[in-house]
Amino acid sequence: MQALLKSPKMAVIRPHGCLNATNALEFERELSTTLVQDDVSSLLVDLAAVESFDSSGLMSLVSALKLAQSLDKGFQLDSLSPAIRMILELTQLDEIFDLSEG
C-alpha cells in the first residue's frame, strides 16, 4: 500500500505603495484569484512595502479573509508597519486577522 502525502502550498502576495479606492478592486481580485486555486492552502499577504491603506484597501483584506474562511484556507498578514498595525488595532481587526510578527 502506498501512502500519498499532499504538501500544502502557501501563496505569498506582496502589494506595494498605497492600497486605496484606486486599486483596491484589483487587489481584491488578485487575492481572490489566488485563494480559489486548488493547490493553494494558505495565503500570506506581506505588507512590508505598503505605505498606507484607506477603508477600500482594508475592505479588500476583510473580503479576502472571509473568502479564505469560507474555503477553509489560511489567511495571514505579515510585516505590518506600526501605522498599519495601529489602524487594525483601532478598528479591532487585529483580533480577527492572523498577524505574524515578521
Side-chain angles (χ1 to χ4, degrees), residues 29-50:
R29 268 192 231 124
E30 182 180 3
L31 295 171
S32 299
T33 300
T34 303
L35 280 167
V36 298
Q37 293 177 19
D38 289 335
D39 64 336
V40 172
S41 62
S42 183
L43 177 59
L44 177 98
V45 182
D46 182 347
L47 297 172
V50 173

Side-chain angles (χ1 to χ4, degrees), residues 19 50-55 57-59 61 80-95 97 99:
L19 297 177
V50 173
E51 299 164 12
S52 66
F53 58 75
D54 65 8
S55 60
L58 187 57
M59 287 311 299
L61 292 171
L80 284 74
S81 70
I84 291 177
R85 187 174 290 277
M86 184 183 303
I87 290 170
L88 293 174
E89 289 172 358
L90 289 172
T91 57
Q92 296 181 344
L93 290 172
D94 62 320
E95 297 176 16
F97 285 107
L99 307 176

Side-chain angles (χ1 to χ4, degrees), residues 67-81:
L67 176 60
Q69 290 171 336
S70 73
L71 296 171
D72 199 27
K73 296 187 177 188
F75 187 85
Q76 185 176 24
L77 302 180
D78 187 35
S79 302
L80 284 74
S81 70

